[in-house]
């Protein structure tokens, strides 16, 4: 079976059950919105998706590391130049740490420009005597606990498109207009270097990078890659009507691409083999990923590989493991072994966020930084024991100084959560915690890749 034969009918998913879809009250209004969306220009281009697939293939071969991060759930109010810039800046800072410490390219992918919907454990929310539809993200309804706000509104799908387009335009302007230049590492850090031990540690690394760039320039080496940053978008392909309306046939190849984002993934709640989300992902040519929780089995992994990547094409399929710190060491190795035995070139990515959520006494959902780090450590340990490649991390983060997760190098306690708890859904690492994690991950990767005595130390604060 070749790539052309593998792609299925892009509407075949409509014949199958689809979990986690909104109960739209007006089918005719939904139909009108989808028809309009189907006429809109692509948000990304097929060639960009192909390029990302090539980059992820390097991850699968052990030649690169993948960094994926962004909001749990984007909001329409969050589409401002400052907020988009700060998220991009945080990911670029993390990537600089990882690249310098690991000496491998870092593939940078945002959970951005499309992450406007969320799967939920219950279809309704109850407060007192009032029962209303649960908030499913700004693409579907509003956060306010009123009948009007919680009514699913298909017009919001058009708002999602325009918000995503604005975000992508801002990202492209930042990373191609000089903001992604490695000479900017000091500027990325200027606003918090003096107030944080993590900022001081990053500044020491920035000085090392600056000296290296100066040396290379003196030798006549100044490649384009030092001045531009590749940055890709991704989101969970949850709202299938929207994803299908944004699917286009590439004029170069005749393949179908979901042009709502460069990479799309299937969540833990929607990865049923005989359901619509897997069928849709099989029908498009984008690089795709599947979230795997602790209930995932070897047989399910093998079936997902056969369905989504029957040709064993590097870069086509990634698995994002979200096991929880207490289960990753027990569950993950068998799944990685199964994929290796099937000769599937999987890029394995660790999501240490979703399996480590708990409710504080204040009622806030939160995560402990140490639990997040422990799951990443278990992920690396499993790959080290198997001799396979720990391909990357998938993090919920923000560039803002929020107080949603506890611990980290600029520590937040349980009693601090109320101060700046701003997430629309799940708790995110703030900028300090995200950068702290990048240093920790870099050390784990360096330990795995090179004997300790042979590798240069990661920059420390003076």
């Amino acid at each position: 079976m070749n790539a052309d034969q593998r792609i299925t009918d892009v509407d075949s998913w409509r014949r199958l059950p689809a979990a986690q879809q909104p109960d739209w009250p007006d089918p005719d209004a939904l139909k009108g919105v989808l028809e309009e969306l189907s006429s809109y220009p692509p948000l990304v281009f097929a060639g960009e998706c192909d390029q990302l697939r090539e980059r992820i293939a390097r991850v699968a071969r052990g030649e690169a590391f993948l960094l994926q991060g962004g909001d749990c759930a984007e909001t329409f109010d969050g589409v401002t130049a400052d907020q988009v810039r700060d998220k991009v800046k945080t990911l670029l800072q993390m990537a600089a740490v990882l690249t310098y410490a690991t000496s491998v390219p870092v593939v940078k992918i945002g959970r951005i420009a499309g992450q406007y919907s969320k799967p939920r454990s219950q279809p309704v929310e109850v407060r007192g005597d009032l029962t209303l539809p649960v908030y499913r993200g700004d693409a579907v309804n509003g956060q306010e606990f009123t009948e009007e706000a919680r009514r699913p509104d298909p017009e919001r799908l058009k708002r999602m498109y325009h918000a995503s387009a604005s975000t992508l335009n801002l990202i492209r302007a930042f990373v191609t207009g000089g903001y992604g230049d490695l000479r900017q590492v000091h500027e990325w850090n200027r606003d918090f270097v003096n107030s944080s031990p993590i900022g001081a540690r990053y500044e020491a690394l920035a000085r090392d990078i600056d000296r290296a760039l100066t040396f290379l320039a003196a030798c006549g080496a100044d490649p384009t890659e030092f001045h531009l940053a590749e940055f890709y978008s991704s989101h969970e392909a949850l709202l299938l009507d929207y994803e299908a309306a944004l699917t286009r046939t590439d004029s170069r190849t005749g393949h179908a691409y979901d042009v709502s984002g460069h990479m799309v993934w299937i969540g833990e709640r929607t990865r049923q083999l005989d359901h619509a989300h897997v069928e849709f992902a099989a029908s498009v040519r984008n690089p795709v990923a599947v979230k795997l929780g602790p209930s995932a089995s070897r047989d399910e992994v093998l079936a997902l590989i056969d369905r989504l990547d029957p040709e064993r094409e590097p870069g086509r399929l990634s698995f994002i493991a979200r096991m929880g710190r207490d289960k990753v060491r027990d569950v993950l190795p068998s799944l990685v072994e199964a994929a290796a035995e099937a000769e599937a070139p999987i890029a394995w990515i660790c999501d240490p966020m979703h399996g480590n959520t708990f409710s504080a006494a204040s009622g806030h959902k939160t995560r402990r930084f140490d639990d997040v780090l422990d799951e990443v450590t278990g992920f690396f340990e499993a790959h080290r024991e198997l001799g396979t490649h720990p391909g990357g991390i998938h993090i919920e983060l923000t560039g803002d100084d929020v107080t949603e997760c506890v611990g980290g190098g600029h520590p937040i306690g349980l009693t601090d959560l109320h101060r700046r708890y701003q997430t629309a859904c799940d708790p995110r690492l703030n900028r300090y915690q995200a950068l702290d994690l990048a240093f920790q991950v870099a050390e784990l990767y360096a330990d795995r890749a090179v004997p300790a005595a042979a590798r240069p130390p990661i920059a420390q604060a003076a």
Side-chain angles (χ1 to χ4, degrees):
M1 183 185 297
N2 60 36
D4 289 327
Q5 293 169 323
R6 182 184 64 213
I7 302 302
T8 62
D9 175 6
V10 294
D11 287 321
S12 59
W13 65 268
R14 298 185 187 279
R15 299 191 289 268
L16 300 173
Q20 295 286 335
Q21 301 305 288
D23 184 13
W24 303 106
D26 187 342
D28 289 336
L30 174 64
K31 180 180 178 182
V33 166
L34 297 177
E35 288 177 351
E36 187 172 345
L37 283 171
S38 67
S39 70
Y40 285 3
L43 291 171
V44 302
F45 297 98
E48 296 172 334
C49 299
D50 292 342
Q51 186 180 62
L52 177 57
R53 192 169 58 252
E54 293 169 1
R55 301 296 185 262
I56 298 175
R58 297 191 67 184
V59 175
R61 291 193 297 266
E63 300 168 358
F65 192 78
L66 187 147
L67 172 64
Q68 188 174 16
D71 278 316
C72 165
E74 294 177 279
T75 63
F76 296 150
D77 290 342
V79 185
T80 68
D82 286 348
Q83 291 198 39
V84 173
R85 179 201 62 213
D86 287 346
K87 277 183 276 192
V88 172
K89 176 167 63 177
T90 300
L91 286 164
L92 290 175
Q93 285 182 296
M94 294 177 74
V97 170
L98 290 164
T99 303
Y100 184 82
T102 64
S103 298
V104 297
V106 174
V107 181
K108 296 170 283 294
I109 307 176
R111 275 179 65 111
I112 201 166
Q115 190 60 21
Y116 289 97
S117 60
K118 290 292 291 181
R120 306 310 301 265
S121 56
Q122 299 294 330
V124 297
E125 182 180 354
V126 180
R127 297 186 191 178
D129 296 331
L130 187 58
T131 301
L132 294 176
V134 71
Y135 171 64
R136 291 188 176 273
D138 276 12
V140 178
N141 54 7
Q143 296 183 56
E144 300 82 6
F145 195 70
T146 66
E147 291 188 19
E148 181 179 4
R150 291 296 178 89
R151 184 181 302 112
D153 180 4
E155 287 292 321
R156 286 175 169 268
L157 297 177
K158 291 193 289 186
R159 291 189 65 187
M160 173 165 61
Y161 173 91
H162 292 298
S164 299
S166 296
T167 300
L168 286 167
N169 286 339
L170 285 167
I171 292 171
R172 289 180 175 121
F174 285 135
V175 300
T176 62
Y179 197 76
D181 194 316
L182 275 175
R183 295 277 186 183
Q184 293 289 316
V185 290
H186 294 287
E187 293 300 320
W188 298 339
N189 198 47
R190 190 174 298 280
D191 60 341
F192 82 138
V193 62
N194 294 323
S195 63
S196 165
I198 297 303
R201 188 179 185 188
Y202 176 84
E203 185 63 16
L205 178 142
R207 289 194 296 269
D208 285 351
I209 292 175
D210 201 37
R211 284 193 290 268
L213 292 175
T214 300
F215 172 78
L216 290 171
C219 295
D222 190 30
T224 302
E225 288 81 1
F226 289 174
H227 304 288
L228 302 175
E230 286 185 4
F231 195 96
Y232 300 95
S233 67
S234 69
H235 62 270
E236 181 176 357
L238 184 64
L239 303 179
L240 291 176
D241 284 319
Y242 175 84
E243 305 299 335
L246 267 292
T247 297
R248 306 282 186 271
T249 300
D250 178 29
S251 60
R252 305 168 307 155
T253 64
H255 292 315
Y257 287 79
D258 182 353
V259 294
S260 68
H262 297 110
M263 174 187 185
V264 293
W265 76 80
I266 303 167
E268 167 73 0
R269 293 186 176 99
T270 54
R271 60 175 173 80
Q272 301 91 342
L273 287 159
D274 57 351
H275 278 45
H277 287 85
V278 171
E279 181 72 10
F280 174 79
S283 75
V284 295
R285 188 81 176 105
N286 306 60
V288 298
V290 182
K291 291 279 191 87
L292 299 177
S295 66
S297 69
R298 291 173 60 97
D299 288 345
E300 287 173 319
V301 164
L302 293 173
L304 285 165
I305 292 170
D306 286 342
R307 185 72 187 94
L308 297 173
D309 186 26
E311 289 299 299
R312 307 300 193 260
E313 178 187 7
R316 162 63 178 173
L317 178 61
S318 302
F319 283 135
I320 305 172
R322 42 150 295 176
M323 304 291 174
R325 62 178 293 271
D326 58 335
K327 296 180 180 177
V328 62
R329 294 169 177 84
D330 297 328
V331 178
L332 182 62
S334 176
L335 307 184
V336 176
E337 280 184 324
E341 290 168 4
E343 299 183 346
I346 301 298
W348 286 95
I349 303 164
C350 177
D351 170 0
M353 308 295 290
H354 285 90
N356 296 303
T357 305
F358 69 98
S359 293
S362 60
H364 295 94
K365 286 201 299 184
T366 189
R367 292 154 175 160
R368 291 187 180 89
F369 181 89
D370 286 349
D371 292 346
V372 169
L373 178 58
D374 189 37
E375 180 160 357
V376 177
T377 303
F379 175 80
F380 273 85
E381 289 172 357
H383 284 284
R384 183 185 298 116
E385 291 172 6
L386 295 170
T388 50
H389 182 238
I393 56 172
H394 177 117
I395 305 295
E396 289 185 339
L397 59 81
T398 176
D400 300 327
D401 187 18
V402 299
T403 55
E404 296 171 3
C405 296
V406 296
H410 193 68
I412 295 168
L414 290 171
T415 57
D416 298 320
L417 292 174
H418 69 281
R419 291 167 50 209
R420 289 181 300 278
Y421 195 94
Q422 300 170 4
T423 182
C425 192
D426 290 338
R428 305 160 294 175
L429 299 180
N430 63 29
R431 184 178 170 197
Y432 304 99
Q433 293 165 326
L435 197 53
D436 190 356
L437 184 66
F439 277 106
Q440 304 278 4
V441 171
E443 290 174 349
L444 287 168
Y445 193 94
D447 283 341
R448 170 254 173 215
V450 181
R455 73 172 189 276
I458 299 173
Q460 300 287 332

